[in-house]
Amino acid sequence: MSCQKAALELNTGSQPGPKSPERTEDVTAFEDYGTGLLENQLSVCDFVKIQKAFESPEPRKIICMSREDFTQKMTEIVGWGTKEEYGELFDKVDVAQDGFINWDKLTSFILLELNKQDEQAKATVVPQWKDLEFLPVKHKDNIQKVIFLKSSSHYLTISKEGLLAIWGENLKLQETFPITSDATKLKHLWVTSLVSLENVNKIAVAFTSKEICFYDLLSKEEFACQYKLQGLKGTPICMDYWYDPLDANESILSFGDITGKVQAIAFTAALISLFERPASACEDGEATMTINWAELLSGCHKCCHILEHKLHQGDWVRQVTYNASLDAIISSTTSNTNSVVLAWREKSKKHLHMTSFNIAQGIHAFDYHSRLNLIATAGINNKVCLWNPYVVSKPVGVLWGHSASVIAVQFFVQRKQLFSFSKDKVLRLWDIQHQLSIQRIAGSFPESQDFRCLFHFDEAHGRLFISFNNRLALLAMKSDASKRVKSHEKAVTCVLYNSILKQVISSDTGSTVSFWMIDTGQKIKQFTGCHGNAEISTMALDANETRLLTGSTDGTVKIWDFNGYCHHTLNVGQDGAVDISQILILKKTILVTGWERAITVFRPQNFNQFFIQPEEWKGGIQHHHDILCAAFLPPQTVVTGSYDGEIVLWNSSTESAHHVLHPDYQRLLKSKLDTKPQKLLSAGRSHSTHPVADQSTMGVRNFEIDNEGKNAVMRLCFLKVRKNTAVTGGANLVSCGGSGYVRFWDIYKKQLLAEFLAHSGAGTIIMSTDKMNRYLTTGDLDGWLKIWNIEEYCLNSSKNKITKAPTLIRSFQPHEDRISSLEMCEPGGQLLIISSSADCSICVTGVCNAPVWIFGQAKHWHIENYLFLSKRDTNLVESNIQKEISLFSKEESCLDPTEHSLLNKKNKDDSTYNVRPSEDINLGIKYKERSTCMKETQKPYYGEVIKKSLSAFRSLSIGVLEELPEVNKPAFLLDPEKYFRKEPEEERPQIPEAPSLFETLKAVFDEKNLFPKEILDHERKAKQLCQEKSCEVKKNKK
């Protein structure tokens, strides 16, 4: 099987002989050479024939062939190729020159060739980058270091003035802290370097005061300094840390200073303690333990020892690192003598043996690739040199191409490529094997003559960080679309869960609907071209979950059964294109909302034709901007949310609106045109809305409208489990949308109870909740999902608005693009989150640290084998999360926006973050374009009489309802005996029973009477004749 798979990769064609000579133009030289080889032209069928030639009729007997036999048989069996070509193949396989080969040797050679070609293909893959982005840093001086903490999935950046910034994995700024101590309060004291001690959850910071401070990341206090190493002879300006992954007690902290010294502290019990605590420190009870360098040199601390050398002879050590595969400390300077020094650890591990490289004009930086065993150096002489660490005389390769001195190099380890960055701001990517530049990026970086540069490539996340003084630029790699699992061919727009069939239903922009099994992820059926070529924007299931409704940009809603038959087409857009955002199915009506200020209504009892026209919604138009979403609370409450942040409360029975909610105000609707704002019951924002000129003729007031969509309501969700909120108070409606905020409302008291920032800087968000209203899931434009515990959140009313976020259970990024739809379901009592995205994928996962599966992946899953957490286990996980929350486990959404500077308006400014160019992601740009077009073709929405509505029906004016007169009890209630008493039964004449068939039958029925007499006589004569002949035959035999 392995050979057949290998052959399939070499040549998938079934026809014998070489492939067609047609080739693309951008093929490298080694590919042309490889394609002409015989082994690369053999097909699967050819290899099957060759395998049969090596098969023996006797079991466990291996057939070997000599060169002559192999060439003769192969030309006969395969049917193409010359004897010379098969002879060359034989010589390649017979490396040991034994004079014979067998099937195992041949397949081993083919697999090795395939692996070699894969490595060559990886080395020539050119990464694609997103647009250059500058992160919103708070640093005021040069950025000295960027590191990633694997344990907490956070980035750290530190600048010269001592400001430490904490970033989430999504590169959203969370916190900034000044690194302060008694010594660092001096005016001209700078931070020089930072390293992470991952195995002990600490960081080490070097200062110009000739000291290194160790900070505990798990401390309850903000950056508690645990150790302070003082008394160093020179100022440390570069550091590196390594620990043994097999034994985390073994670790090495190496650093170089301005005097040319390279020093290292080798820890032997790091997990227990880095340094031994002196008795005096215990007596004084000091939180910070001071360690003197002289104590370490004298060997007072048994848990560590010192390694050092002075081979750089007074030159500043620019970079230092310890490499475990070489068991050596590598350091560099800008001097042309001893430019790179390798300090090899001897067997005793306490002494060093040095070798050095002398490089003309010196180097700025270096990097080491352990698999290739190469050291790359960034030369001041514009060259990038590749060195074998054991050969100091000359480099094994020189990469030419830069026209200015190279200031940074770093290996792309997985692809065996090399980054280099020069002083003229040119970034190059090199193919190490062929020593060629395969990519050049220039012109995107800021124009500054003198700058301090920091270069860091985070290979795990595909992110390249380059600092220019106090500015931090980011180049993010685009994902390899060919490797990413796709659920649909085009962007997924909506996802639903059918609890009866236990199936997931998804739709995409290509008008395709797919059905998946939730238990295994298997696709079971697919409907294509549901709305022609128009995009399916939303879907819904009826109450019985037996009908599927699909809404499209062609302005129609279609009703389907699960066999793919369309029963009705609802004409929402009146034969015009309409963006349908939501379909809400009530008991007697179907409400459709979209980029329109009115609600479109259909009544199923009137569905007597295939094409259905909309009917009138008695409530008319109450929104000033387009309706984006809606929700229903039995028995008769409907809410609709619009682009300007207003939430209108309706009575579904009378189809009338009675209240408008907004984060900044609320107003009571006595009539259709009564839009006078009232003071909000809760503590809203500091600014207020100001009415403008009064239109006395109509009584209409204009007030400040959100034209940028900061308050846009993208999703509305009722907390239906909270049935007693009308009596006890508390939130029973959740809204989310613009600016990443989630809001909790009490619709009975018309009050905003809580508001928190769920996703910082992520634009608009969407959400979903489970049936028991225990968890809330939110998703943003970057593909991030967050799961919150809201079971005990906002259960009671309060005078002051709550700004603290609920408990964050999980935060992760299952998608690479905008999350378009969310659904929470519980098949078999297991709570699952289903998400769809514009990256063409649909993911499903659990609440607490469950794996993420993608519908369409090759391997099917069995959810019951993974999701076994009961409610008790889930609560245990949540309590552990609460206990273990430390400085780096805080999410940006948990921060109070009024207390943290990282959430102020400067960080929310559009100039801070790069906006996606695609129209379907940027809600603000999309709405502005539509709004501009609409304003040119119609009159303003408010401020004057609306003569004609653009919706499917005319606007109705509904005044105040008149008081009804007193209604008397009906007569049947006053005298029920008269209307409901039982009447005496009257004697009715008995109807005689019909006689039975047996009694009326005059004679026995014989079916022969049905046929004419002539036919019966003919049949009787034929039987007699037959009998006579048979008798004669018997007599003759006797």
Side-chain angles (χ1 to χ4, degrees), residues 761-889:
T764 57
I765 64 173
I766 62 173
M767 68 177 179
S768 179
T769 182
D770 62 312
K771 288 184 178 181
M772 300 304 296
N773 302 143
R774 293 171 298 173
Y775 301 101
L776 180 75
T777 304
T778 56
D780 62 21
L781 299 180
D782 295 325
W784 280 81
L785 282 184
K786 293 186 179 182
I787 305 173
W788 313 83
N789 186 347
I790 61 170
E791 191 172 10
E792 303 293 331
Y793 192 70
C794 283
L795 291 179
N796 301 311
S797 297
S798 60
K799 295 181 180 179
N800 298 323
K801 181 176 65 179
I802 300 173
T803 56
K804 184 181 179 182
T807 304
L808 180 65
I809 302 299
R810 190 180 180 190
S811 177
F812 58 106
Q813 188 181 17
H815 299 284
E816 299 175 350
D817 207 335
R818 171 180 57 94
I819 294 179
S820 57
S821 182
L822 286 172
E823 187 84 359
M824 297 186 76
C825 60
E826 293 189 40
Q830 301 167 343
L831 185 59
L832 300 176
I833 295 99
I834 307 169
S835 59
S836 64
S837 171
D839 64 1
C840 307
S841 67
I842 307 164
C843 296
V844 60
T845 185
V847 174
C848 297
N849 298 322
V852 178
W853 298 283
I854 304 177
F855 287 97
Q857 67 184 40
K859 186 178 181 181
H860 294 162
W861 59 77
H862 297 281
I863 284 184
E864 63 274 6
N865 296 338
Y866 294 91
L867 302 179
F868 53 86
L869 282 179
S870 63
K871 183 177 180 181
R872 180 181 176 185
D873 297 330
T874 305
N875 293 336
L876 180 62
V877 173
E878 294 172 13
S879 61
N880 291 338
I881 291 174
Q882 285 287 1
K883 291 179 182 178
E884 295 177 1
I885 283 181
S886 64
L887 178 64
F888 294 102
S889 64

Side-chain angles (χ1 to χ4, degrees), residues 314-603:
D315 296 314
W316 286 27
V317 181
R318 301 292 180 176
Q319 187 179 349
V320 64
T321 186
Y322 170 79
N323 186 269
S325 60
L326 296 175
D327 197 13
I329 302 171
I330 311 174
S331 56
S332 67
T333 66
T334 54
S335 173
N336 57 0
T337 57
N338 298 330
S339 305
V340 178
V341 172
L342 275 74
W344 310 82
R345 295 175 71 189
E346 296 182 352
K347 291 183 179 181
S348 62
K349 302 292 184 181
K350 294 186 179 181
H351 299 284
L352 300 174
H353 171 70
M354 272 78 70
T355 59
S356 63
F357 299 85
N358 298 325
I359 303 173
Q361 300 180 29
I363 64 170
H364 280 121
F366 69 88
D367 195 19
Y368 175 71
H369 195 301
S370 57
R371 289 172 58 190
L372 296 176
N373 195 29
L374 288 176
I375 298 175
T377 56
I380 300 177
N381 57 0
N382 310 348
K383 300 176 186 177
V384 176
C385 296
L386 303 175
W387 303 81
N388 186 317
Y390 301 100
V391 180
V392 300
S393 57
K394 64 178 181 178
V396 295
V398 179
L399 308 179
W400 303 80
H402 284 288
S403 56
S405 62
V406 186
I407 56 179
V409 288
Q410 187 172 348
F411 280 104
F412 194 158
V413 178
Q414 185 180 5
R415 297 187 181 183
K416 297 181 180 178
Q417 297 171 345
L418 178 70
F419 288 104
S420 63
F421 190 69
S422 59
K423 206 165 186 178
D424 57 354
K425 304 182 189 65
V426 175
L427 175 67
R428 286 186 179 272
L429 183 64
W430 305 84
D431 174 15
I432 298 302
Q433 183 175 0
H434 299 90
Q435 298 186 12
L436 295 174
S437 175
I438 58 177
Q439 191 174 41
R440 179 182 182 272
I441 300 175
S444 303
F445 304 106
E447 297 179 0
S448 56
Q449 297 298 327
D450 189 17
F451 64 95
R452 166 77 163 80
C453 176
L454 169 74
F455 191 93
H456 174 70
F457 178 59
D458 181 11
E459 186 169 339
H461 295 85
R463 293 167 174 168
L464 178 61
F465 299 91
I466 306 176
S467 74
F468 300 89
N469 297 330
N470 66 329
R471 303 180 68 188
L472 186 59
L474 169 67
L475 270 177
M477 287 178 57
K478 293 182 179 178
S479 60
D480 191 350
S482 61
K483 293 182 180 180
R484 188 177 67 231
V485 177
K486 289 185 178 182
S487 309
H488 282 251
E489 291 297 323
K490 295 188 177 181
V492 186
T493 56
C494 186
V495 65
L496 298 174
Y497 175 70
N498 189 312
S499 59
I500 298 176
L501 302 177
K502 292 187 178 180
Q503 295 177 4
V504 174
I505 308 170
S506 58
S507 63
D508 64 15
T509 58
S511 201
T512 299
V513 176
S514 298
F515 296 78
W516 314 80
M517 293 299 296
I518 187 69
D519 296 331
T520 61
Q522 181 181 3
K523 183 192 286 188
I524 53 177
K525 57 185 171 183
Q526 179 174 291
F527 304 154
T528 58
C530 296
H531 289 262
N533 295 324
E535 169 189 339
I536 297 176
S537 55
T538 187
M539 296 190 299
L541 290 169
D542 68 344
N544 299 323
E545 298 186 11
T546 58
R547 292 288 186 268
L548 175 67
L549 286 77
T550 58
S552 172
T553 54
D554 62 1
T556 63
V557 172
K558 293 186 177 183
I559 303 176
W560 308 80
D561 60 22
F562 293 140
N563 293 321
Y565 178 74
C566 180
H567 293 267
H568 299 284
T569 297
L570 313 184
N571 192 1
V572 180
Q574 298 291 295
D575 300 326
V578 173
D579 276 343
I580 299 173
S581 61
Q582 188 172 350
I583 304 170
L584 188 64
I585 301 176
L586 308 185
K587 189 174 182 180
K588 296 181 180 180
T589 56
I590 297 175
L591 306 183
V592 182
T593 62
W595 294 90
E596 178 63 51
R597 297 184 299 126
I599 299 174
T600 306
V601 61
F602 297 88
R603 309 186 196 281

Side-chain angles (χ1 to χ4, degrees), residues 902-973:
L902 65 99
L903 300 178
N904 60 15
K905 293 182 180 179
K906 291 183 180 179
N907 284 347
K908 292 180 181 178
D909 199 298
D910 292 341
S911 61
T912 304
Y913 304 98
N914 277 5
V915 182
R916 297 172 181 269
S918 57
E919 183 195 21
D920 60 334
I921 294 176
N922 193 330
L923 178 64
I925 295 176
K926 184 175 182 180
Y927 177 79
K928 288 176 182 177
E929 291 176 356
R930 294 176 181 270
S931 180
T932 304
C933 180
M934 290 172 68
K935 287 178 181 178
E936 292 176 357
T937 57
Q938 69 179 51
K939 292 185 178 181
Y941 292 140
Y942 46 88
E944 58 184 60
V945 182
I946 303 177
K947 296 182 179 179
K948 187 177 179 180
S949 173
L950 294 182
S951 64
F953 46 86
R954 291 194 299 274
S955 176
L956 299 178
S957 177
I958 301 176
V960 181
L961 296 176
E962 297 179 359
E963 293 185 4
L964 295 175
E966 187 177 353
V967 181
N968 297 324
K969 289 185 177 181
F972 65 85
L973 290 178

